[in-house]
Amino acid sequence: MALQIQTLTIRPKKYFLCFSRFLSQFLSRDPYDPPFSPSSKPPKLKKTNKKDPSHAKDPTLNRPLKSDLHFDFRYSYSETNPSVEPIGFREPPRFSPFGPGRLDRRWTGTSAPAQQQVDQESVAQARSRVLGDPLTEEEVAELVEHYRHSDCASQINLGKGGVTHNMLDDIHNHWKRAEAVRIKCLGVPTLDMHNVCFHLEDKSGGKVIYQHINVVLLYRGRNYDPNNRPVIPLMLWKPYAPIYPKLVKNVADGLTFEETKEMRNRGLNSPPLMKLTRNGVYVNVVARVREAFETEEVVRLDCTHVGTSDCKKVGLRLKDLVPCVPILFKDEQIILWRGKREQEQESNLLKEDTSAKMLG
């Protein structure tokens, strides 16, 4: 019995050795045949001929992109004033946001001007050809009913940057599959919706067929062809805003230092005319400020939680739209002074009276 137990314990080892010898005689030559394949080096790849024209780089890939658009390229078209020159830059102007060597226009720090002289008549004719015949009232009503709702698939959100350069490419991408695009505007650009509509039409070539408060519908035109869309080179990053002259002076024009200080204190202690929210709709702000200046000399706007940058942008836009004089930005509060309008009107009346007496 002892011998039989020993043979039972030894036999599995013998069977295992025989099985391993059997497998070793039928090893596969395929190096990727697991799990009993021998370790072998991977096959060497054939060397490609560098002189082969099929592997040569396309010379057109290194050429700068050329665009025939008639306007100067800027980061924002509706929120910048080309007539105001900056006094400095926060980054070297030689760094173009379009990338090195990707555009045939030179970046000046604020824009990439067009290289050729622009013929406005030819631009207007090309735009009218794309738009085609004017839409009838029934067609406009049908498009408005289809695209004005908030659940519209062809929608672009316009924020504090306004009509930006890359937004033009988004508009043409929506026009591939839709006749119109819905643009929802928020923030500082809503102070002047006429300016937003103008730049949308001028830069995209479309037609605004509907505008209600902060919603705009931009129509592409009857003869629009997505295959012949204009070439719009994209900006790879947002350029730093340049440094502009100081908006608020220490002493306001037409006032002394003591009068300016008194106006600022009066504005801070007065109740706010309006309270603006962050990324809100500011369509009625200009009208409210103009109405307040009929009875008040100084107006305060409460811009808590709006942000310092947007607060200054609001004051800058109101300066030109109302018009008025911003005299203080403090703790997200805007103090606006209407200026010496009464004195100017009185002086003009006196001049008219004196001239009438001299003629009489």
Side-chain angles (χ1 to χ4, degrees):
M1 295 293 294
L3 292 175
Q4 290 180 358
I5 293 172
Q6 289 179 359
T7 54
L8 288 173
T9 55
I10 294 172
R11 279 180 183 176
K13 294 182 180 180
K14 289 184 179 181
Y15 288 138
F16 178 78
L17 293 174
C18 295
F19 185 71
S20 61
R21 289 176 184 175
F22 174 76
L23 290 176
S24 63
Q25 294 178 0
F26 295 96
L27 287 175
S28 175
R29 296 182 181 180
D30 188 2
Y32 298 101
D33 184 18
F36 301 103
S37 58
S39 61
S40 60
K41 297 181 180 180
K44 294 182 179 180
L45 299 176
K46 295 182 180 180
K47 295 183 179 180
T48 57
N49 189 6
K50 295 183 179 180
K51 296 182 180 181
D52 189 1
S54 61
H55 297 278
K57 293 183 178 180
D58 189 1
T60 59
L61 297 177
N62 297 327
R63 294 179 183 175
L65 193 62
K66 184 178 180 180
S67 179
D68 296 331
L69 294 174
H70 63 281
F71 51 87
D72 300 343
F73 293 163
R74 296 177 177 274
Y75 172 74
S76 177
Y77 297 105
S78 62
E79 303 305 305
T80 55
N81 189 0
S83 61
V84 180
E85 293 293 334
I87 60 176
F89 297 96
R90 292 184 173 88
E91 63 180 355
R94 65 178 182 273
F95 295 144
S96 173
F98 295 96
R102 294 185 67 251
L103 188 65
D104 63 339
R105 302 186 183 188
R106 179 178 173 271
W107 180 254
T108 62
T110 57
S111 63
Q115 300 294 327
Q116 299 178 356
Q117 191 75 17
V118 178
D119 187 5
Q120 296 296 337
E121 293 183 0
S122 61
V123 172
Q125 292 176 1
R127 182 170 179 266
S128 62
R129 284 196 301 268
V130 174
L131 292 177
D133 297 333
L135 295 174
T136 61
E137 294 182 0
E138 292 78 9
E139 291 174 334
V140 172
E142 183 180 356
L143 289 173
V144 169
E145 182 62 27
H146 187 269
Y147 290 101
R148 72 180 178 88
H149 300 285
S150 59
D151 58 349
C152 176
S154 300
Q155 175 175 312
I156 297 176
N157 294 326
L158 187 146
K160 62 182 180 180
V163 183
T164 59
H165 180 77
N166 288 356
M167 184 184 293
L168 304 178
D169 185 70
D170 296 337
I171 291 173
H172 285 279
N173 289 336
H174 280 285
W175 279 348
K176 287 182 181 179
R177 56 185 181 275
E179 291 184 271
V181 58
R182 182 179 188 266
I183 300 175
K184 183 180 179 181
C185 307
L186 297 173
V188 182
T190 58
L191 286 169
D192 190 3
M193 289 300 297
H194 295 288
N195 182 48
V196 172
C197 294
F198 168 76
H199 284 287
L200 285 173
E201 290 184 345
D202 181 60
K203 304 304 185 294
S204 67
K207 178 69 175 177
V208 174
I209 59 175
Y210 175 81
Q211 190 258 318
H212 178 66
I213 307 178
N214 65 323
V215 176
V216 178
L217 296 186
L218 190 63
Y219 176 61
R220 67 182 184 180
R222 292 183 184 272
N223 304 324
Y224 179 81
D225 185 7
N227 297 323
N228 294 329
R229 55 179 287 183
V231 178
I232 302 176
L234 297 179
M235 283 190 176
L236 303 183
W237 65 83
K238 178 183 177 180
Y240 285 103
I243 302 171
Y244 288 98
K246 195 174 181 181
L247 178 60
V248 177
K249 298 181 180 179
N250 295 330
V251 180
D253 295 336
L255 296 177
T256 62
F257 178 77
E258 296 297 332
E259 291 174 342
T260 304
K261 186 176 180 180
E262 181 184 357
M263 289 289 181
R264 289 170 178 169
N265 293 331
R266 191 195 305 178
L268 288 174
N269 297 325
S270 63
L273 176 66
M274 297 180 65
K275 185 174 182 180
L276 306 183
T277 58
R278 186 176 182 85
N279 293 331
V281 180
Y282 311 146
V283 176
N284 60 342
V285 174
V286 177
R288 290 283 301 276
V289 173
R290 286 176 181 172
E291 183 181 356
F293 277 152
E294 295 178 359
T295 57
E296 300 291 337
E297 193 175 4
V298 181
V299 169
R300 177 166 72 96
L301 298 178
D302 187 1
C303 300
T304 308
H305 308 301
V306 172
T308 305
S309 177
D310 289 358
C311 187
K312 292 183 178 180
K313 290 179 181 179
V314 169
L316 178 62
R317 299 300 298 273
L318 291 177
K319 176 185 176 182
D320 300 328
L321 295 173
V322 175
C324 58
V325 181
I327 58 176
L328 183 64
F329 293 96
K330 183 179 180 181
D331 298 332
E332 295 185 345
Q333 306 293 315
I334 304 177
I335 309 300
L336 303 173
W337 175 49
R338 68 180 179 183
K340 291 189 175 183
R341 299 180 181 178
E342 295 179 356
Q343 295 181 3
E344 292 178 358
Q345 292 177 358
E346 291 177 359
S347 62
N348 293 332
L349 291 174
L350 289 174
K351 289 180 182 178
E352 291 177 1
D353 293 341
T354 52
S355 61
K357 290 178 181 180
M358 291 175 64
L359 292 174

